[in-house]
Amino acid sequence: MSGRVPSGRALVIVGPYLWLLLFFLAPLAIVLKIAFSEALIAQPPYAPLFARSSDGALTIQLNFHNFLFLVRDDLYFRAYLNSARIALIATLLCVVLGYPVAYGIAHASPAARNVLLMLVILPFWTSFLLRVYAWIGILKNNGLINNLLMAVGIIDQPLVMMQTDFAVYLGIVYSYLPFMILPLYARLQRLDHTLWEAAADLGCRPHKAFLTVILPLSLPGVVAGSMLVFIPAVGEFVIPALLGGPDTLMIGRVLWDEFFANRDWPVASAVAIAVLILLVAPITVLQFTHGREAER
Amino acid sequence: MRTGRSAFVMVAMALCLAFLYLPIVSLVVYSFNASKLVTVWGGFSARWYGELLRDAQILRAAWLSLRIAVVTATAAVVLGTLAGVALARMGRFRGRILFSGMTSAPLVMPEVITGLSLLLLFVALEDLIGWPRGRGVTTITIAHITFSMAYVAVVIQAQLANLDPSLEEAALDLGARPAKVFLVITVPVIAPALVSGWLLSFTLSLDDLIIASFVAGPGSSTLPMVVFSKVRLGVSPEINALATLFVVVVSIGVIAAGALTSRAQRRRSRDAQGAIAPPFG
Protein backbone atom coordinates (compact mmCIF):
# COMPACT_ATOMS: atom_id res chain seq x y z
CA MET A 1 0.00 0.00 0.00
CA SER A 2 2.63 2.50 -1.00
CA GLY A 3 1.96 5.90 -2.47
CA ARG A 4 -1.50 7.01 -3.35
CA VAL A 5 -4.04 4.33 -2.62
CA PRO A 6 -7.45 4.38 -4.25
CA SER A 7 -9.84 4.89 -1.36
CA GLY A 8 -12.18 2.10 -2.55
CA ARG A 9 -9.38 -0.38 -2.13
CA ALA A 10 -8.76 0.57 1.47
CA LEU A 11 -12.49 0.50 2.17
CA VAL A 12 -12.73 -3.09 0.98
CA ILE A 13 -9.90 -4.23 3.20
CA VAL A 14 -10.51 -2.20 6.32
CA GLY A 15 -13.89 -3.64 7.31
CA PRO A 16 -13.04 -7.34 7.48
CA TYR A 17 -9.54 -6.48 8.72
CA LEU A 18 -10.79 -4.58 11.76
CA TRP A 19 -13.46 -7.18 12.43
CA LEU A 20 -10.91 -9.99 12.49
CA LEU A 21 -8.44 -8.00 14.58
CA LEU A 22 -11.10 -7.30 17.18
CA PHE A 23 -13.00 -10.58 17.19
CA PHE A 24 -10.33 -13.09 16.25
CA LEU A 25 -6.87 -11.87 17.19
CA ALA A 26 -7.68 -9.82 20.29
CA PRO A 27 -9.60 -12.71 21.92
CA LEU A 28 -6.61 -14.99 21.47
CA ALA A 29 -4.37 -12.38 23.06
CA ILE A 30 -6.75 -12.23 26.02
CA VAL A 31 -6.72 -16.02 26.36
CA LEU A 32 -2.93 -15.86 26.45
CA LYS A 33 -3.08 -13.16 29.08
CA ILE A 34 -5.53 -14.99 31.31
CA ALA A 35 -3.62 -18.24 30.97
CA PHE A 36 -0.87 -16.44 32.89
CA SER A 37 -3.08 -15.05 35.61
CA GLU A 38 -4.28 -16.45 38.87
CA ALA A 39 -7.73 -17.91 39.49
CA LEU A 40 -9.83 -15.87 41.88
CA ILE A 41 -13.29 -16.36 43.25
CA ALA A 42 -14.60 -13.18 41.70
CA GLN A 43 -16.32 -11.89 38.63
CA PRO A 44 -14.53 -12.34 36.28
CA PRO A 45 -12.81 -15.19 38.11
CA TYR A 46 -9.18 -14.33 37.47
CA ALA A 47 -6.60 -11.88 38.77
CA PRO A 48 -5.66 -8.96 36.55
CA LEU A 49 -2.37 -9.44 34.74
CA PHE A 50 -1.38 -5.80 34.88
CA ALA A 51 -1.21 -4.21 38.28
CA ARG A 52 0.13 -0.98 39.64
CA SER A 53 2.81 -1.50 42.21
CA SER A 54 3.02 0.77 45.26
CA ASP A 55 5.21 3.33 43.46
CA GLY A 56 2.70 3.56 40.63
CA ALA A 57 4.66 1.69 37.99
CA LEU A 58 2.83 -0.73 35.78
CA THR A 59 3.95 -4.25 36.48
CA ILE A 60 3.14 -7.44 34.70
CA GLN A 61 2.54 -10.49 36.79
CA LEU A 62 3.24 -13.59 34.81
CA ASN A 63 1.96 -16.61 36.55
CA PHE A 64 3.19 -19.93 35.23
CA HIS A 65 1.23 -21.77 37.83
CA ASN A 66 -1.53 -22.80 35.40
CA PHE A 67 0.94 -24.36 32.99
CA LEU A 68 2.79 -26.13 35.80
CA PHE A 69 -0.58 -27.46 36.87
CA LEU A 70 -1.15 -28.85 33.38
CA VAL A 71 2.20 -30.59 33.44
CA ARG A 72 1.85 -31.96 36.98
CA ASP A 73 -1.67 -33.30 36.70
CA ASP A 74 -1.42 -36.15 34.24
CA LEU A 75 -5.13 -35.84 33.40
CA TYR A 76 -4.32 -33.14 30.86
CA PHE A 77 -1.39 -34.99 29.41
CA ARG A 78 -3.45 -38.14 28.98
CA ALA A 79 -6.28 -36.12 27.45
CA TYR A 80 -3.90 -34.62 24.89
CA LEU A 81 -2.44 -37.97 23.94
CA ASN A 82 -5.84 -39.58 23.85
CA SER A 83 -7.33 -36.85 21.63
CA ALA A 84 -4.41 -37.06 19.24
CA ARG A 85 -4.62 -40.87 19.16
CA ILE A 86 -8.38 -40.99 18.61
CA ALA A 87 -8.21 -38.28 15.94
CA LEU A 88 -5.32 -40.03 14.17
CA ILE A 89 -6.98 -43.44 14.09
CA ALA A 90 -10.29 -41.91 12.99
CA THR A 91 -8.45 -40.03 10.22
CA LEU A 92 -6.81 -43.24 8.99
CA LEU A 93 -10.20 -44.98 9.01
CA CYS A 94 -11.61 -42.10 6.98
CA VAL A 95 -8.84 -42.49 4.40
CA VAL A 96 -9.47 -46.23 4.11
CA LEU A 97 -13.24 -45.83 3.84
CA GLY A 98 -13.28 -42.61 1.85
CA TYR A 99 -10.70 -43.44 -0.81
CA PRO A 100 -12.73 -46.05 -2.73
CA VAL A 101 -15.77 -43.79 -2.59
CA ALA A 102 -13.89 -40.73 -3.86
CA TYR A 103 -12.35 -42.92 -6.54
CA GLY A 104 -15.73 -44.29 -7.55
CA ILE A 105 -17.25 -40.81 -7.78
CA ALA A 106 -14.33 -39.51 -9.81
CA HIS A 107 -14.80 -42.32 -12.34
CA ALA A 108 -18.60 -42.23 -12.51
CA SER A 109 -20.45 -40.74 -15.46
CA PRO A 110 -20.98 -36.95 -15.14
CA ALA A 111 -24.68 -37.33 -14.33
CA ALA A 112 -24.10 -40.02 -11.70
CA ARG A 113 -21.20 -37.97 -10.34
CA ASN A 114 -23.41 -34.98 -9.56
CA VAL A 115 -25.96 -37.15 -7.79
CA LEU A 116 -23.28 -38.96 -5.79
CA LEU A 117 -21.61 -35.69 -4.78
CA MET A 118 -24.95 -34.35 -3.64
CA LEU A 119 -25.55 -37.51 -1.60
CA VAL A 120 -22.15 -37.13 0.09
CA ILE A 121 -22.68 -33.43 0.80
CA LEU A 122 -26.31 -33.58 1.92
CA PRO A 123 -25.67 -34.94 5.44
CA PHE A 124 -23.21 -32.08 5.96
CA TRP A 125 -26.05 -29.58 5.66
CA THR A 126 -28.20 -31.35 8.26
CA SER A 127 -27.53 -30.63 11.89
CA PHE A 128 -24.30 -32.21 13.08
CA LEU A 129 -25.67 -32.47 16.61
CA LEU A 130 -28.79 -34.32 15.46
CA ARG A 131 -26.77 -36.72 13.31
CA VAL A 132 -24.52 -37.61 16.23
CA TYR A 133 -27.57 -37.98 18.43
CA ALA A 134 -29.06 -40.44 15.92
CA TRP A 135 -26.31 -42.92 16.78
CA ILE A 136 -27.51 -43.11 20.39
CA GLY A 137 -30.73 -44.73 19.17
CA ILE A 138 -28.76 -47.13 17.02
CA LEU A 139 -26.01 -48.12 19.45
CA LYS A 140 -27.61 -48.20 22.88
CA ASN A 141 -28.35 -51.43 24.71
CA ASN A 142 -31.96 -51.58 23.56
CA GLY A 143 -31.16 -49.76 20.33
CA LEU A 144 -31.53 -50.67 16.69
CA ILE A 145 -28.46 -52.91 16.31
CA ASN A 146 -28.96 -54.83 19.54
CA ASN A 147 -32.68 -55.31 18.92
CA LEU A 148 -31.93 -56.59 15.44
CA LEU A 149 -29.16 -58.97 16.50
CA MET A 150 -31.22 -60.32 19.40
CA ALA A 151 -34.31 -60.78 17.23
CA VAL A 152 -32.28 -62.78 14.73
CA GLY A 153 -30.78 -64.73 17.60
CA ILE A 154 -27.11 -63.98 16.96
CA ILE A 155 -26.64 -62.65 20.48
CA ASP A 156 -28.72 -63.05 23.62
CA GLN A 157 -27.03 -60.34 25.65
CA PRO A 158 -26.96 -56.78 24.29
CA LEU A 159 -23.53 -55.67 23.08
CA VAL A 160 -22.39 -52.63 25.03
CA MET A 161 -21.53 -50.09 22.36
CA MET A 162 -22.68 -46.78 23.82
CA GLN A 163 -20.29 -44.90 26.06
CA THR A 164 -17.28 -46.69 24.63
CA ASP A 165 -14.30 -45.55 22.57
CA PHE A 166 -15.79 -47.57 19.73
CA ALA A 167 -18.82 -45.27 19.65
CA VAL A 168 -16.52 -42.22 19.61
CA TYR A 169 -14.52 -43.57 16.64
CA LEU A 170 -17.74 -44.38 14.85
CA GLY A 171 -19.13 -40.91 15.52
CA ILE A 172 -16.00 -39.14 14.29
CA VAL A 173 -15.65 -41.27 11.16
CA TYR A 174 -19.34 -40.83 10.43
CA SER A 175 -19.29 -37.06 10.93
CA TYR A 176 -16.09 -36.29 9.07
CA LEU A 177 -16.11 -38.84 6.23
CA PRO A 178 -17.50 -36.30 3.70
CA PHE A 179 -14.58 -33.97 4.57
CA MET A 180 -12.21 -36.74 3.45
CA ILE A 181 -14.16 -37.76 0.36
CA LEU A 182 -14.57 -34.31 -1.19
CA PRO A 183 -10.94 -33.11 -1.39
CA LEU A 184 -9.86 -36.62 -2.40
CA TYR A 185 -12.45 -36.64 -5.13
CA ALA A 186 -11.34 -33.19 -6.30
CA ARG A 187 -7.77 -34.47 -6.60
CA LEU A 188 -8.60 -37.81 -8.23
CA GLN A 189 -10.93 -36.16 -10.69
CA ARG A 190 -8.13 -33.93 -11.92
CA LEU A 191 -5.84 -36.88 -12.68
CA ASP A 192 -5.66 -37.69 -16.34
CA HIS A 193 -7.44 -40.89 -17.32
CA THR A 194 -4.74 -41.55 -19.89
CA LEU A 195 -2.38 -42.27 -16.99
CA TRP A 196 -4.08 -45.65 -16.59
CA GLU A 197 -3.84 -46.34 -20.29
CA ALA A 198 -0.21 -45.33 -20.47
CA ALA A 199 0.62 -47.62 -17.55
CA ALA A 200 -1.37 -50.48 -19.09
CA ASP A 201 0.21 -50.00 -22.52
CA LEU A 202 3.59 -50.28 -20.90
CA GLY A 203 2.49 -53.62 -19.44
CA CYS A 204 1.61 -52.51 -15.92
CA ARG A 205 -1.06 -54.51 -14.11
CA PRO A 206 -4.01 -52.47 -12.80
CA HIS A 207 -3.20 -52.88 -9.11
CA LYS A 208 0.42 -52.00 -9.71
CA ALA A 209 -0.56 -49.02 -11.84
CA PHE A 210 -2.74 -47.91 -8.96
CA LEU A 211 -0.01 -48.31 -6.35
CA THR A 212 2.80 -46.72 -8.36
CA VAL A 213 0.98 -44.07 -10.41
CA ILE A 214 -2.45 -43.12 -9.11
CA LEU A 215 -1.91 -43.42 -5.36
CA PRO A 216 1.21 -41.22 -5.17
CA LEU A 217 -0.41 -38.59 -7.40
CA SER A 218 -3.49 -38.52 -5.18
CA LEU A 219 -1.50 -38.01 -1.98
CA PRO A 220 -2.10 -34.23 -1.84
CA GLY A 221 -5.81 -35.03 -1.72
CA VAL A 222 -5.22 -37.49 1.11
CA VAL A 223 -3.25 -34.84 3.01
CA ALA A 224 -5.90 -32.17 2.46
CA GLY A 225 -8.67 -34.50 3.57
CA SER A 226 -6.70 -35.66 6.60
CA MET A 227 -6.26 -32.07 7.76
CA LEU A 228 -9.98 -31.46 7.49
CA VAL A 229 -10.69 -34.57 9.57
CA PHE A 230 -7.83 -34.56 12.07
CA ILE A 231 -7.97 -30.93 13.20
CA PRO A 232 -11.64 -30.74 14.19
CA ALA A 233 -11.53 -34.30 15.54
CA VAL A 234 -8.79 -33.38 18.05
CA GLY A 235 -10.87 -30.61 19.58
CA GLU A 236 -14.15 -32.52 19.32
CA PHE A 237 -16.57 -32.05 22.17
CA VAL A 238 -20.04 -33.15 21.05
CA ILE A 239 -19.08 -36.67 19.97
CA PRO A 240 -17.26 -37.74 23.16
CA ALA A 241 -19.90 -35.99 25.27
CA LEU A 242 -22.83 -37.80 23.63
CA LEU A 243 -21.34 -41.14 22.57
CA GLY A 244 -18.28 -41.59 24.78
CA GLY A 245 -18.12 -42.88 28.31
CA PRO A 246 -17.06 -40.93 31.36
CA ASP A 247 -13.51 -42.24 30.82
CA THR A 248 -13.29 -41.08 27.19
CA LEU A 249 -10.79 -38.31 27.77
CA MET A 250 -10.60 -35.75 25.02
CA ILE A 251 -9.06 -32.35 25.37
CA GLY A 252 -12.07 -30.43 24.06
CA ARG A 253 -14.20 -32.03 26.72
CA VAL A 254 -11.61 -31.34 29.44
CA LEU A 255 -11.53 -27.67 28.46
CA TRP A 256 -15.33 -27.54 28.49
CA ASP A 257 -15.54 -29.13 31.95
CA GLU A 258 -12.75 -26.95 33.30
CA PHE A 259 -14.71 -23.93 32.17
CA PHE A 260 -18.34 -24.85 32.83
CA ALA A 261 -18.07 -27.30 35.73
CA ASN A 262 -15.00 -26.07 37.61
CA ARG A 263 -15.31 -22.43 36.50
CA ASP A 264 -11.52 -22.25 36.39
CA TRP A 265 -11.01 -19.73 33.59
CA PRO A 266 -7.21 -19.47 33.87
CA VAL A 267 -6.71 -23.24 33.66
CA ALA A 268 -9.18 -23.46 30.77
CA SER A 269 -7.18 -20.71 29.05
CA ALA A 270 -3.93 -22.51 29.69
CA VAL A 271 -5.42 -25.67 28.19
CA ALA A 272 -6.50 -23.66 25.13
CA ILE A 273 -3.03 -22.17 24.69
CA ALA A 274 -1.42 -25.57 25.07
CA VAL A 275 -3.77 -27.03 22.43
CA LEU A 276 -2.89 -24.20 20.08
CA ILE A 277 0.82 -24.69 20.58
CA LEU A 278 0.90 -28.48 20.58
CA LEU A 279 -1.65 -29.31 17.91
CA VAL A 280 -2.86 -26.44 15.82
CA ALA A 281 0.37 -24.51 15.25
CA PRO A 282 2.40 -27.42 13.80
CA ILE A 283 -0.46 -28.36 11.52
CA THR A 284 -0.90 -24.80 10.29
CA VAL A 285 2.81 -24.53 9.56
CA LEU A 286 2.70 -27.85 7.74
CA GLN A 287 -0.28 -26.77 5.70
CA PHE A 288 1.32 -23.45 4.90
CA THR A 289 4.57 -24.99 3.63
CA HIS A 290 2.57 -27.63 1.82
CA GLY A 291 0.47 -24.98 0.13
CA ARG A 292 3.62 -23.15 -0.89
CA GLU A 293 4.97 -26.29 -2.52
CA ALA A 294 1.69 -26.95 -4.30
CA GLU A 295 1.69 -23.42 -5.68
CA ARG A 296 5.07 -23.84 -7.24
CA MET B 1 -11.85 -52.63 -14.34
CA ARG B 2 -9.31 -50.25 -15.71
CA THR B 3 -11.78 -47.39 -15.64
CA GLY B 4 -12.23 -48.16 -12.00
CA ARG B 5 -15.81 -49.31 -12.03
CA SER B 6 -14.80 -52.52 -10.33
CA ALA B 7 -17.10 -54.46 -8.05
CA PHE B 8 -14.99 -53.48 -5.07
CA VAL B 9 -15.44 -49.77 -5.67
CA MET B 10 -19.18 -50.19 -6.23
CA VAL B 11 -19.64 -52.17 -3.02
CA ALA B 12 -17.54 -49.68 -1.06
CA MET B 13 -19.62 -46.78 -2.36
CA ALA B 14 -22.90 -48.51 -1.55
CA LEU B 15 -21.75 -49.36 1.98
CA CYS B 16 -20.46 -45.86 2.57
CA LEU B 17 -23.69 -44.23 1.47
CA ALA B 18 -25.66 -46.67 3.62
CA PHE B 19 -23.41 -45.72 6.54
CA LEU B 20 -23.99 -42.01 5.91
CA TYR B 21 -27.75 -42.38 5.66
CA LEU B 22 -28.58 -45.11 8.20
CA PRO B 23 -28.73 -42.70 11.18
CA ILE B 24 -30.76 -40.14 9.26
CA VAL B 25 -33.24 -42.75 8.06
CA SER B 26 -33.54 -44.20 11.56
CA LEU B 27 -34.36 -40.75 12.98
CA VAL B 28 -37.05 -40.21 10.37
CA VAL B 29 -38.59 -43.65 10.91
CA TYR B 30 -38.64 -43.43 14.69
CA SER B 31 -40.10 -39.93 14.62
CA PHE B 32 -43.35 -41.60 13.50
CA ASN B 33 -43.20 -44.20 16.27
CA ALA B 34 -46.19 -44.11 18.61
CA SER B 35 -44.23 -45.65 21.48
CA LYS B 36 -42.41 -43.44 23.93
CA LEU B 37 -39.67 -46.05 24.06
CA VAL B 38 -37.92 -44.64 21.07
CA THR B 39 -36.52 -47.90 19.74
CA VAL B 40 -39.53 -50.15 20.27
CA TRP B 41 -41.99 -49.90 17.39
CA GLY B 42 -45.46 -49.09 18.72
CA GLY B 43 -47.29 -48.28 15.51
CA PHE B 44 -47.42 -45.25 13.24
CA SER B 45 -48.22 -41.91 14.80
CA ALA B 46 -47.60 -38.23 14.24
CA ARG B 47 -47.95 -37.62 17.97
CA TRP B 48 -44.39 -36.32 18.49
CA TYR B 49 -44.83 -33.65 15.87
CA GLY B 50 -47.78 -32.36 17.88
CA GLU B 51 -45.74 -32.41 21.07
CA LEU B 52 -42.90 -30.64 19.31
CA LEU B 53 -45.19 -27.85 18.13
CA ARG B 54 -46.50 -27.42 21.67
CA ASP B 55 -43.02 -27.28 23.23
CA ALA B 56 -42.64 -23.59 23.98
CA GLN B 57 -38.98 -23.94 24.98
CA ILE B 58 -37.99 -25.51 21.65
CA LEU B 59 -40.09 -23.09 19.62
CA ARG B 60 -38.58 -20.08 21.38
CA ALA B 61 -35.07 -21.43 20.87
CA ALA B 62 -35.77 -22.23 17.21
CA TRP B 63 -37.05 -18.71 16.56
CA LEU B 64 -34.00 -17.21 18.28
CA SER B 65 -31.65 -19.44 16.29
CA LEU B 66 -33.31 -18.56 12.99
CA ARG B 67 -33.04 -14.85 13.69
CA ILE B 68 -29.40 -15.15 14.63
CA ALA B 69 -28.71 -17.31 11.56
CA VAL B 70 -30.28 -14.81 9.12
CA VAL B 71 -28.36 -11.85 10.54
CA THR B 72 -25.16 -13.92 10.71
CA ALA B 73 -25.42 -15.16 7.14
CA THR B 74 -26.09 -11.70 5.73
CA ALA B 75 -23.28 -10.00 7.63
CA ALA B 76 -20.88 -12.88 6.98
CA VAL B 77 -21.50 -12.72 3.23
CA VAL B 78 -20.75 -8.98 3.20
CA LEU B 79 -17.59 -9.19 5.32
CA GLY B 80 -16.46 -12.50 3.81
CA THR B 81 -16.90 -11.25 0.26
CA LEU B 82 -14.87 -8.14 1.03
CA ALA B 83 -12.17 -10.34 2.55
CA GLY B 84 -12.26 -12.75 -0.40
CA VAL B 85 -12.02 -9.90 -2.91
CA ALA B 86 -9.16 -8.33 -0.98
CA LEU B 87 -7.25 -11.60 -0.99
CA ALA B 88 -7.98 -12.60 -4.58
CA ARG B 89 -7.82 -9.26 -6.38
CA MET B 90 -5.81 -6.74 -4.42
CA GLY B 91 -2.36 -8.19 -4.75
CA ARG B 92 0.01 -7.01 -2.06
CA PHE B 93 -1.04 -4.68 0.70
CA ARG B 94 0.40 -3.93 4.07
CA GLY B 95 -0.48 -6.65 6.58
CA ARG B 96 -1.62 -9.07 3.89
CA ILE B 97 0.01 -12.09 5.52
CA LEU B 98 -1.65 -11.36 8.85
CA PHE B 99 -4.94 -10.76 7.06
CA SER B 100 -4.83 -13.98 5.09
CA GLY B 101 -3.81 -15.85 8.24
CA MET B 102 -6.72 -14.38 10.18
CA THR B 103 -9.22 -15.27 7.46
CA SER B 104 -8.17 -18.90 7.29
CA ALA B 105 -7.30 -19.56 10.94
CA PRO B 106 -10.91 -19.65 12.20
CA LEU B 107 -11.41 -22.65 9.91
CA VAL B 108 -8.89 -24.77 11.79
CA MET B 109 -9.48 -23.34 15.25
CA PRO B 110 -11.12 -25.84 17.62
CA GLU B 111 -14.56 -24.51 18.50
CA VAL B 112 -13.95 -24.73 22.23
CA ILE B 113 -11.04 -22.31 21.86
CA THR B 114 -12.97 -19.89 19.65
CA GLY B 115 -15.83 -19.93 22.14
CA LEU B 116 -13.63 -19.45 25.18
CA SER B 117 -11.60 -16.66 23.59
CA LEU B 118 -14.65 -14.71 22.44
CA LEU B 119 -16.29 -14.99 25.84
CA LEU B 120 -13.14 -13.64 27.50
CA LEU B 121 -13.11 -10.78 24.98
CA PHE B 122 -16.74 -9.89 25.68
CA VAL B 123 -16.12 -9.96 29.43
CA ALA B 124 -13.06 -7.75 29.05
CA LEU B 125 -14.88 -5.33 26.73
CA GLU B 126 -17.80 -5.00 29.11
CA ASP B 127 -15.31 -4.31 31.87
CA LEU B 128 -13.52 -1.65 29.83
CA ILE B 129 -16.19 0.18 27.83
CA GLY B 130 -19.45 -1.25 29.11
CA TRP B 131 -20.30 -2.94 25.81
CA PRO B 132 -21.66 -5.51 25.14
CA ARG B 133 -23.88 -5.23 28.18
CA GLY B 134 -24.26 -8.80 29.35
CA ARG B 135 -24.30 -11.66 26.90
CA GLY B 136 -27.02 -12.86 24.59
CA VAL B 137 -28.18 -12.48 21.02
CA THR B 138 -25.60 -9.81 20.17
CA THR B 139 -22.62 -11.74 21.41
CA ILE B 140 -23.78 -14.99 19.79
CA THR B 141 -24.31 -13.19 16.48
CA ILE B 142 -20.88 -11.55 16.58
CA ALA B 143 -19.26 -14.91 17.32
CA HIS B 144 -21.14 -16.60 14.49
CA ILE B 145 -20.28 -13.86 11.99
CA THR B 146 -16.61 -14.22 12.88
CA PHE B 147 -16.29 -17.89 12.01
CA SER B 148 -18.81 -17.83 9.15
CA MET B 149 -17.08 -15.00 7.31
CA ALA B 150 -13.94 -17.10 7.14
CA TYR B 151 -15.83 -19.79 5.23
CA VAL B 152 -17.38 -17.20 2.91
CA ALA B 153 -13.96 -15.64 2.27
CA VAL B 154 -12.57 -19.04 1.25
CA VAL B 155 -15.50 -19.75 -1.09
CA ILE B 156 -15.35 -16.31 -2.72
CA GLN B 157 -11.59 -16.39 -3.03
CA ALA B 158 -11.73 -19.79 -4.74
CA GLN B 159 -14.45 -18.59 -7.09
CA LEU B 160 -12.53 -15.42 -7.98
CA ALA B 161 -9.35 -17.43 -8.55
CA ASN B 162 -11.21 -19.40 -11.23
CA LEU B 163 -12.56 -16.22 -12.79
CA ASP B 164 -10.43 -14.70 -15.53
CA PRO B 165 -9.53 -11.16 -14.33
CA SER B 166 -9.42 -9.93 -17.93
CA LEU B 167 -13.20 -9.45 -17.85
CA GLU B 168 -12.88 -6.99 -14.99
CA GLU B 169 -9.79 -5.41 -16.50
CA ALA B 170 -11.59 -4.85 -19.81
CA ALA B 171 -14.40 -3.05 -18.01
CA LEU B 172 -11.88 -0.91 -16.14
CA ASP B 173 -10.07 -0.11 -19.38
CA LEU B 174 -13.37 1.01 -20.87
CA GLY B 175 -13.62 3.52 -18.07
CA ALA B 176 -15.99 1.89 -15.60
CA ARG B 177 -15.41 2.72 -11.95
CA PRO B 178 -14.12 -0.14 -9.74
CA ALA B 179 -17.30 -0.18 -7.66
CA LYS B 180 -19.42 -0.42 -10.79
CA VAL B 181 -17.23 -3.17 -12.23
CA PHE B 182 -17.65 -5.10 -9.03
CA LEU B 183 -21.44 -4.78 -9.03
CA VAL B 184 -22.00 -5.29 -12.76
CA ILE B 185 -19.34 -7.84 -13.64
CA THR B 186 -17.99 -9.55 -10.55
CA VAL B 187 -21.15 -10.00 -8.47
CA PRO B 188 -23.21 -11.70 -11.20
CA VAL B 189 -20.35 -14.07 -11.97
CA ILE B 190 -19.75 -15.00 -8.34
CA ALA B 191 -23.48 -15.05 -7.51
CA PRO B 192 -23.55 -18.85 -7.01
CA ALA B 193 -20.69 -18.50 -4.51
CA LEU B 194 -22.53 -15.71 -2.72
CA VAL B 195 -25.62 -17.89 -2.43
CA SER B 196 -23.72 -20.93 -1.23
CA GLY B 197 -21.75 -18.72 1.17
CA TRP B 198 -24.97 -17.36 2.63
CA LEU B 199 -26.49 -20.82 2.98
CA LEU B 200 -23.29 -22.18 4.46
CA SER B 201 -23.14 -19.38 7.06
CA PHE B 202 -26.82 -19.84 7.83
CA THR B 203 -26.33 -23.56 8.40
CA LEU B 204 -23.16 -23.13 10.44
CA SER B 205 -24.89 -20.60 12.67
CA LEU B 206 -28.04 -22.69 13.07
CA ASP B 207 -25.90 -25.72 13.89
CA ASP B 208 -23.43 -24.25 16.36
CA LEU B 209 -23.62 -25.58 19.89
CA ILE B 210 -20.18 -25.02 21.35
CA ILE B 211 -19.43 -21.38 20.59
CA ALA B 212 -22.99 -20.32 21.44
CA SER B 213 -22.76 -22.15 24.77
CA PHE B 214 -19.75 -20.05 25.72
CA VAL B 215 -21.03 -16.65 24.65
CA ALA B 216 -24.75 -17.04 25.44
CA GLY B 217 -26.27 -15.45 28.49
CA PRO B 218 -29.21 -16.43 30.63
CA GLY B 219 -32.39 -16.53 28.56
CA SER B 220 -30.63 -16.74 25.22
CA SER B 221 -30.49 -20.50 24.68
CA THR B 222 -30.24 -21.35 21.00
CA LEU B 223 -31.87 -24.40 19.44
CA PRO B 224 -28.73 -26.58 19.55
CA MET B 225 -28.26 -25.68 23.22
CA VAL B 226 -31.81 -26.80 24.06
CA VAL B 227 -31.47 -29.94 21.92
CA PHE B 228 -28.16 -30.80 23.57
CA SER B 229 -29.55 -30.43 27.07
CA LYS B 230 -32.44 -32.72 26.11
CA VAL B 231 -30.47 -35.46 24.34
CA ARG B 232 -27.83 -35.52 27.03
CA LEU B 233 -30.47 -37.14 29.21
CA GLY B 234 -31.18 -39.79 26.57
CA VAL B 235 -33.16 -40.32 23.41
CA SER B 236 -36.24 -38.17 23.00
CA PRO B 237 -38.96 -38.80 20.39
CA GLU B 238 -39.64 -35.08 20.10
CA ILE B 239 -36.08 -34.49 18.97
CA ASN B 240 -36.55 -37.21 16.34
CA ALA B 241 -39.49 -35.22 14.97
CA LEU B 242 -37.40 -32.05 14.99
CA ALA B 243 -34.58 -33.84 13.16
CA THR B 244 -37.01 -35.11 10.54
CA LEU B 245 -38.24 -31.58 9.86
CA PHE B 246 -34.59 -30.51 9.48
CA VAL B 247 -33.87 -33.34 7.06
CA VAL B 248 -36.91 -32.51 4.92
CA VAL B 249 -36.09 -28.81 4.69
CA VAL B 250 -32.41 -29.41 4.00
CA SER B 251 -33.09 -32.09 1.38
CA ILE B 252 -35.45 -29.82 -0.50
CA GLY B 253 -32.96 -26.98 -0.27
CA VAL B 254 -29.93 -28.98 -1.36
CA ILE B 255 -31.75 -30.70 -4.21
CA ALA B 256 -33.15 -27.39 -5.44
CA ALA B 257 -29.74 -25.74 -5.15
CA GLY B 258 -28.17 -28.68 -6.96
CA ALA B 259 -30.72 -28.47 -9.77
CA LEU B 260 -30.23 -24.70 -10.07
CA THR B 261 -26.46 -24.89 -10.12
CA SER B 262 -26.36 -27.71 -12.62
CA ARG B 263 -28.74 -25.76 -14.86
CA ALA B 264 -26.61 -22.65 -14.55
CA GLN B 265 -23.52 -24.72 -15.19
CA ARG B 266 -24.99 -26.33 -18.26
CA ARG B 267 -25.92 -22.92 -19.49
CA ARG B 268 -22.41 -21.71 -19.11
CA SER B 269 -21.19 -25.12 -20.21
CA ARG B 270 -18.45 -24.99 -17.69
CA ASP B 271 -16.73 -27.72 -15.82
CA ALA B 272 -19.10 -29.13 -13.21
CA GLN B 273 -16.96 -28.82 -10.19
CA GLY B 274 -17.14 -27.63 -6.69
CA ALA B 275 -19.98 -25.12 -6.71
CA ILE B 276 -22.14 -27.09 -4.32
CA ALA B 277 -19.19 -28.03 -2.14
CA PRO B 278 -18.30 -24.61 -0.76
CA PRO B 279 -15.52 -25.40 1.70
CA PHE B 280 -13.51 -27.49 -0.72
CA GLY B 281 -12.58 -25.23 -3.59
Side-chain angles (χ1 to χ4, degrees), chain B residues 5-72:
Chain B
R5 249 160 276 172
S6 66
F8 170 70
V9 169
M10 297 302 268
V11 170
M13 276 168 61
L15 284 179
C16 169
L17 288 176
F19 174 58
L20 285 180
Y21 283 89
L22 168 76
I24 297 174
V25 171
S26 83
L27 281 182
V28 173
V29 170
Y30 282 119
S31 75
F32 292 107
N33 185 5
S35 163
K36 186 156 181 72
L37 293 166
V38 173
T39 47
V40 180
W41 187 250
F44 181 89
S45 154
R47 170 185 166 196
W48 303 114
Y49 290 87
E51 303 247 323
L52 179 70
L53 294 178
R54 278 190 296 276
D55 190 323
Q57 191 194 11
I58 286 191
L59 291 184
R60 215 175 28 240
W63 176 232
L64 180 79
S65 281
L66 282 174
R67 271 162 36 215
I68 292 177
V70 167
V71 176
T72 294

Side-chain angles (χ1 to χ4, degrees), chain B residues 150-164:
Chain B
Y151 284 88
V152 177
V154 170
V155 176
I156 297 291
Q157 200 188 346
Q159 187 85 6
L160 284 174
N162 287 333
L163 170 69
D164 188 352

